[in-house]
């Protein structure tokens, strides 16, 4: 957590349930903060067994910032700095580690079917769906979205009119690349990367409007974090009820 007070409060609540977690400050928007966590985990535990990338933001409908400014801020946390955190922490993942990236139903690639300019949207969708998509190519796509969002030309260029959705589609595409690349490491077998839709959960991000409890919303994440050794479920898009969804072709199950 970024807020040490809230982090320690969470620790006390979990201790009340008979658990014994530890707290370490983390702000993924600070490279130094992520590096301190890496060093701590390496020194104390020898690396990481389970990494859950849960940090994320979404602007409210009442936000007064321009669409372009919202795009830049949203992608900074939900894509760029999540990716940077992975780059810093992945080298200390242990063999058999599990990585869970918190995506969304709005991170489903099929959301492009609702784009205004369908011809250009299908070109973007095909690039994101490619099994050969590279990190640099994905970064370039996210930069192009941010540039057009700031110029006010994103819709005519085939992009979605939602910064949150675009950031989560980027994160899901990133997850697929991460799985492919980590799978090539013979020194650290059986590392699995999943991207999950937790459901519409009653959290600060949803202004507590979601019908699902936090415990219920954690089910898909726990499922992904505890995938058994040598599982065939790799790089999967996991729905809130633990269904495996075809991220490229769908269909998507009911939202809740």
């Amino acid at each position: 957590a970024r807020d040490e007070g809230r982090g320690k409060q969470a620790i006390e609540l979990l201790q009340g349930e008979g658990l014994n977690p530890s707290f370490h400050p983390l702000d993924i928007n600070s490279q130094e903060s992520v590096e301190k966590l890496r060093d701590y985990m390496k020194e104390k535990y020898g690396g990481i067994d389970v990494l859950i990338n849960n940090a994320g933001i979404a602007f409210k409908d009442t936000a007064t910032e321009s669409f372009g400014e919202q795009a830049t801020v949203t992608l900074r946390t939900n894509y760029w700095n999540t990716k940077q955190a992975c780059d810093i922490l992945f080298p200390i993942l242990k063999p058999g580690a599990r990585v869970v990236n918190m995506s969304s139903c709005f991170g489903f690639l099929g959301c492009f079917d609702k784009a205004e300019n369908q011809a250009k949207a299908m070109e973007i969708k095909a690039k994101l769906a490619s099994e050969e998509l590279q990190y640099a190519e994905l970064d370039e796509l996210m930069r192009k979205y941010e540039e057009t969002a700031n110029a006010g030309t994103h819709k005519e260029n085939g992009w979605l009119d939602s910064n949150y959705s675009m950031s989560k589609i980027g994160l899901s595409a990133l997850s697929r690349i991460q799985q492919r690349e980590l799978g090539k490491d013979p020194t650290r077998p059986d590392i699995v990367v999943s991207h999950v839709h937790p459901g519409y959960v009653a959290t600060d991000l949803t202004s507590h409007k979601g019908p699902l409890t936090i415990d219920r919303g954690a089910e898909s994440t726990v499922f992904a974090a505890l995938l058994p050794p040598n599982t065939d479920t790799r790089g999967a898009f996991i729905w809130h009820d633990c269904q495996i969804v075809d991220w490229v072709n769908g269909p998507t199950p009911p939202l809740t």
Side-chain angles (χ1 to χ4, degrees):
R2 292 171 297 168
D3 186 319
E4 186 168 347
R6 294 183 68 185
K8 290 182 176 179
Q9 183 181 31
I11 292 295
E12 291 176 0
L13 289 172
L14 292 169
Q15 287 174 337
E17 296 182 11
L19 303 173
N20 189 32
S22 299
F23 170 77
H24 193 286
L26 174 65
D27 180 357
I28 69 162
N29 290 329
S30 164
Q31 180 176 334
E32 180 183 8
S33 176
V34 182
E35 289 171 345
K36 285 181 178 179
L37 177 65
R38 175 200 62 196
D39 296 344
Y40 171 81
M41 294 300 294
K42 186 175 181 180
E43 178 181 351
K44 188 170 180 64
Y45 301 105
I48 294 175
D49 294 297
V50 176
L51 173 61
I52 300 173
N53 289 305
N54 187 48
I57 65 166
F59 279 85
K60 307 297 184 185
D61 292 338
T62 55
T64 58
E65 294 87 347
S66 69
F67 187 85
E69 183 178 351
Q70 291 183 40
T72 296
V73 172
T74 302
L75 264 64
R76 182 184 302 141
T77 295
N78 295 3
Y79 179 77
W80 295 111
N81 287 340
T82 296
K83 179 173 181 282
Q84 176 180 260
C86 290
D87 292 342
I88 294 169
L89 297 174
F90 275 17
I92 65 166
L93 289 175
K94 297 179 182 179
R98 299 293 182 256
V99 178
V100 186
N101 290 328
M102 195 64 62
S103 186
S104 165
C105 60
F106 300 110
F108 171 53
L109 190 60
C111 290
F112 269 101
D113 296 343
K114 299 177 182 179
E116 186 174 288
N117 186 328
Q118 276 295 291
K120 290 189 175 181
M122 291 307 100
E123 292 178 5
I124 298 169
K125 184 179 178 182
K127 291 177 181 178
L128 290 166
S130 172
E131 297 288 347
E132 304 301 321
L133 182 66
Q134 302 295 313
Y135 287 122
E137 294 172 322
L138 177 57
D139 285 350
E140 181 60 23
L141 286 169
M142 300 310 289
R143 275 192 289 267
K144 284 183 178 178
Y145 168 69
E146 188 175 337
E147 288 170 2
T148 57
N150 275 275
T153 59
H154 56 287
K155 289 191 287 185
E156 64 196 67
N157 279 283
W159 302 102
L160 297 175
D161 195 30
S162 167
N163 293 311
Y164 183 75
S165 185
M166 282 307 312
S167 72
K168 292 301 184 178
I169 288 173
L171 181 61
S172 281
L174 176 67
S175 303
R176 286 157 50 91
I177 301 174
Q178 290 172 334
Q179 178 65 80
R180 188 183 71 222
E181 295 303 311
L182 285 167
K184 297 176 181 178
D185 186 349
T187 67
R188 295 185 299 167
D190 196 30
I191 295 178
V192 177
V193 182
S194 305
H195 44 127
V196 306
H197 162 50
Y200 192 23
V201 184
T203 63
D204 291 348
L205 188 142
T206 65
S207 300
H208 296 271
K209 294 178 180 178
L212 301 184
T213 65
I214 291 174
D215 285 352
R216 173 62 179 77
E219 287 185 9
S220 55
T221 298
V222 172
F223 174 83
L226 298 180
L227 285 169
N230 302 310
T231 177
D232 292 329
T233 304
R234 295 174 179 274
F237 186 38
I238 302 175
W239 211 244
H240 68 84
D241 58 1
C242 302
Q243 291 187 64
I244 308 301
V245 175
D246 184 334
W247 184 71
V248 174
N249 301 305
T252 56
L255 293 183
T256 54

